[in-house]
Amino acid sequence: MNTAPLAVTLGDPAGIGPEIVAKAWLALRDCGPKFLVVGDAKSVAAATSGEPGIVRTISTPDEALGAFPTSLPVLDIPLPAAAVLGRPDPASAASVIRWIETAVDLTLTGKVRGVVTAPIAKAPLYEAGFKFPGHTEFLGELTASTPFEGVRGPIMMLTAADLRVTLVTVHTPLARVAGQLSIDGIVHAAQVTAQALRRDFGIAAPRLAVAGLNPHAGESGGIGGEEIEIVAPAVAVLRNLGIDARGPFPSDSLFHAEARARYDGVICLYHDQALIPVKMLDFWGGVNITLGLPIVRTSPDHGTAFDIAGQGIARPDSLIAALRAADEIALRRGA
């Protein structure tokens, strides 16, 4: 069994990343999973002012295992200048990107078991020349040349309580969603999801529900034709591929407890269709999981929260859940 630690990237240092990382360590130092931080050690130390001296800079991931019960291990890649909490700065962008690249490289070389990413802010990264919509697409690019057995992603999954949802379109304006839907896109998302449910969640015969786009799933074409022209044909393709997929279902009756008992995952067509039920079920503990990559990657299901950075009130629940999810998936893949 691989006993290497997980790697947590610090995210935007002006946000709540340093604070929730420190709080997650306080919650997990006795029970694990063990992790190291890839980021700016001074930013992490500043977030632990209530317990000074707990940050320990390390040179290799191996050092994290022995240090973790008593110290928060940080693989220090310093910022060019100290971050100001609540004020995102494009000058930090190169460091934020390097932290992600370093964590991915450590995972690909087997020195850590997976990557857990604290939240980044897109705007300062874009201003510095970052060309990806977010973490998910960047991680797909960083791992594109690494062999992967199966249908490759990246596909975004969100989990909360007993609910798992994956997205066909992600950060697409609602007015453009219908134009970006295709049979192939839905089939691909569902194939990656079914594969991950088997490999990463231990579900031998996963059952998928596919949501409709329109109210009442189009009402047999009376309230939109996408279900007839795109979604239902995609479900038929999936069933011909041997995947237990059903739908399209109206999304307003797809997420209550009785409905959730009938499937293992939902293929959602747009962002809020997936995110609203996740956050209603567990607003603080949702987890973002990237499917279809040769590495394990999870993250908290929230943003940088610049408005509360430095106030000491940020909750680490979602990061803790993301660490535990990464640990469980890595253990399954290792087995």
Side-chain angles (χ1 to χ4, degrees), residues 9-14 79-80 87-101 117-139 142 297 304 306:
T9 57
L10 195 56
D12 193 304
L79 290 165
R87 294 173 55 185
D89 186 350
S92 300
S95 297
V96 172
I97 293 167
R98 189 180 168 202
W99 298 340
I100 300 167
E101 292 171 336
T117 57
I120 56 174
K122 315 295 194 305
L125 294 180
Y126 295 157
E127 194 172 332
F130 189 67
K131 302 183 185 301
F132 299 90
H135 267 121
T136 301
E137 297 80 6
F138 187 37
L139 292 166
L142 291 176
R297 182 265 174 154
T304 52
F306 292 124

Side-chain angles (χ1 to χ4, degrees), residues 163-197:
L163 177 63
R164 306 177 193 91
V165 296
T166 52
L167 284 76
V168 177
T169 67
V170 185
H171 295 121
T172 301
L174 191 57
R176 300 179 191 169
V177 167
Q180 291 195 10
L181 292 177
S182 67
I183 296 171
D184 287 347
I186 294 171
V187 168
H188 176 248
Q191 285 181 296
V192 174
T193 301
Q195 169 183 272
L197 289 171

